[in-house]
């Protein structure tokens, strides 16, 4: 395992899992929010985000978590593991609220410097989350379905799944995360 792609909707736990997996494996972790945003909540252009994603994807070792789906096919072609964190809508909203409150006035670890969490940003972000809840999940389901046969695919639907996956990182890949996968090693999303 040298290149790990982690996808999931906001509040699913991508950044947390990426950091924990990075600590266990020594692989460098890249958060899409550090590509999407510049200090002061300045959004990069689409082309600049794409270029930065391609630079990361070209590397030999990485854990790359997050969106910019315009580059997912390229990222997936390079990944040897795809992790889809598929969590419920209410839980994700709760987690986003909680992380905003807990980090109010300062930047989260997955964000660039000078991007402090603000309660005033929540209504617009919640609208985005609500508006994309179905379409984003459908897109992620499609990415999972099109993963190359040599890419190990893992679906995590609970904290227990994530903990078991991380605990299983010391065992053979065929044994880790088995309850979440079908016999073909693909996610079986609902």
């Amino acid at each position: 395992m040298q290149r790990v792609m982690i996808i999931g909707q906001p509040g699913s736990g991508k950044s947390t899992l990426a950091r924990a997996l990075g600590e266990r494996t020594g692989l460098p972790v890249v958060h899409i929010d550090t590509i999407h945003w510049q200090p002061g909540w300045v959004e990069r252009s689409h082309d600049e985000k794409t270029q930065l994603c391609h630079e990361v994807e070209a590397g030999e070792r990485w854990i790359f978590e997050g969106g910019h789906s315009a580059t997912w096919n390229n990222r997936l072609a390079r990944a040897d593991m795809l992790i889809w964190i598929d969590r419920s809508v209410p839980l994700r909203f709760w987690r986003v609220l909680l992380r905003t409150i807990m980090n109010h006035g300062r930047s989260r670890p997955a964000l660039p410097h000078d991007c402090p969490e603000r309660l005033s940003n929540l209504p617009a972000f919640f609208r985005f989350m609500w508006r994309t809840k179905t379409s984003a999940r459908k897109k992620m389901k499609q990415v999972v379905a099109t993963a190359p046969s040599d890419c190990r695919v893992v679906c995590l639907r609970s904290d227990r799944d994530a903990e078991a996956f991380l605990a299983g990182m010391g065992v053979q890949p065929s044994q880790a995360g088995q309850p979440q996968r079908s016999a073909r090693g693909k996610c079986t999303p609902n």
Side-chain angles (χ1 to χ4, degrees), residues 40-165:
W41 291 109
V42 176
E43 185 175 357
R44 294 183 198 276
S45 72
H46 182 272
D47 290 344
E48 190 176 4
K49 287 185 271 190
T50 298
Q51 178 60 37
L52 290 170
C53 285
H54 287 327
E55 288 174 14
V56 172
E57 295 156 2
E60 288 303 312
R61 303 177 72 239
W62 42 259
I63 297 171
F64 197 167
E65 67 88 1
H68 199 56
S69 60
T71 63
W72 278 358
N73 288 339
N74 190 62
R75 197 175 313 166
L76 184 59
R78 297 268 305 132
D80 50 32
M81 179 181 286
L82 168 64
I83 302 172
W84 179 23
I85 307 175
D86 186 23
R87 304 303 301 268
S88 73
V89 174
L91 177 64
R92 293 188 306 100
F93 273 80
W94 171 249
R95 284 181 166 182
V96 168
L97 174 63
L98 194 59
R99 79 181 185 198
T100 302
I101 292 169
M102 291 179 65
N103 291 292
H104 187 262
R106 60 182 182 185
S107 298
R108 286 183 283 119
L111 285 168
H113 172 72
D114 194 30
C115 289
E117 289 283 8
R118 296 185 183 123
L119 291 171
S120 60
N121 294 348
L122 274 180
F125 194 60
F126 280 169
R127 282 192 298 276
F128 165 78
M129 289 175 65
W130 185 256
R131 195 175 61 250
T132 61
K133 69 184 186 319
T134 303
S135 61
R137 188 174 188 277
K138 183 178 178 182
K139 188 178 281 190
M140 290 176 202
K141 201 173 182 178
Q142 184 176 3
V143 168
V144 166
T146 59
S149 60
D150 61 344
C151 180
R152 180 177 170 213
V153 179
V154 178
C155 290
L156 304 174
R157 293 191 176 90
S158 68
D159 290 344
R160 181 178 287 164
D161 288 350
E163 290 165 7
F165 170 74

